[in-house]
Amino acid sequence: MAWNLSRLCGRVPRTVSISKLTKVLAQFYSKFEVDVMDDFTSQLMQRKIDKWDLQKRKNDALIENVKVEEKEAQEVKIEGLGNEQLAFLLQDAMDNDDRELVVNLINLCVEHNRAPPFNILVNILSMCSQNGDKDSVYRIQKLCKDHYAGASKQNSDFQHFVAEAIWVKGDVSKALEIFEGIYRDNAYLRRRIRLMLKYLIADLVSNRSEAALWNIIKFSQRILADFQDFFPLTCVWQACFLSEWFTDQCTALELLEKNNGLCKYVVNRIPYVVFVSLKSHRTEVVYRLLEILLKYKMKQQYSSVVGSLLDYQFRYGDFQSCAEIIRWTIENDVALPSNQNIKMINLLLNEKMKTPLAPLQPKRDDKPKYNLKF
């Protein structure tokens, strides 16, 4: 037995390799550090979640309290709110598109001379002006003058929001007068005014107000003459060109003929016009656009529009129209975006229609042909 024990003890190493010990300890401490970090991260995230849940419950409670109908209760609540809580209530009301609550809160802010954050006031101004709420716009104007005098002055006392509200209410002539005054006096707001006019003009043309349209054209021409800014006029052109009414379409053509240089600036509108027209399956609008592009010798844009029209017809399986478009482009020396696409369509058309197509080699002719037969 003793002999066996001695043999066994002899097999057990008296020393441990330093390299092995280092490796084992490194693995141990690495695992230990990972466990500690995981535990710390989990605790930190849990504390954050608990904090967010608590704040959300508080905010929900505040919202429910503010929605009480009695005015006295509302007055008490808004008097006790901090700036962050007031800002949260206003933002939540805007996110939920609760215009009535927003207006009520703004009225209370005016009564108690409380000023929400400036960026929230600007967002509320935009919301009220787009809905034609002039009274609320005037109240917010007063808040901004009292609490943000510098920013109010820089933004011309937010008169452009007043103009938008007046426009929505139907007095386009008065609104244009305000817009023009701000445009001339405050270069800082010109970009904002352009953005407003972009949507207001489109809405006005769709509502068929010829007198107002005439006023807008005159306004746009004055801006063009004094500041070389084509933007308002291009908005008028686009709205009239997309209109379903023949008189508006004629107005779009007249604008191009009477305003030198406008054609160059409407180029940026062409992709949108084509997209909207084809999306609503109004191919006749695209054909009219092609006639204009040919008339003003804008072959680069013409090729792009023809390519979009060809893709549209191909997508909806109108192979006859595809064949006619391809033949017409070849006869008039109009390059399509890709020869590979033409070959593919040729193959499909041959298979579907069993009729040969015109050769792909273009026929050059010194005299351009403008008659569109597809």
Side-chain angles (χ1 to χ4, degrees), residues 344-356:
M344 179 185 67
I345 294 173
N346 257 320
L347 292 174
L348 290 172
L349 290 174
N350 284 328
E351 180 180 354
K352 293 284 184 180
M353 300 168 56
K354 304 300 181 184
T355 57

Side-chain angles (χ1 to χ4, degrees), residues 10 34 66 75 99 121 182 208 229 255-256 310 334 351 359:
V34 170
V66 173
E75 290 178 352
R99 291 194 293 270
L121 283 178
I182 300 171
R208 298 290 300 149
D229 185 358
L255 289 175
L256 290 176
L310 189 60
V334 175
E351 180 180 354

Side-chain angles (χ1 to χ4, degrees), residues 4-14:
N4 291 335
L5 287 174
S6 63
R7 289 187 63 184
L8 181 62
C9 293
R11 293 177 182 177
V12 177
R14 295 179 179 273

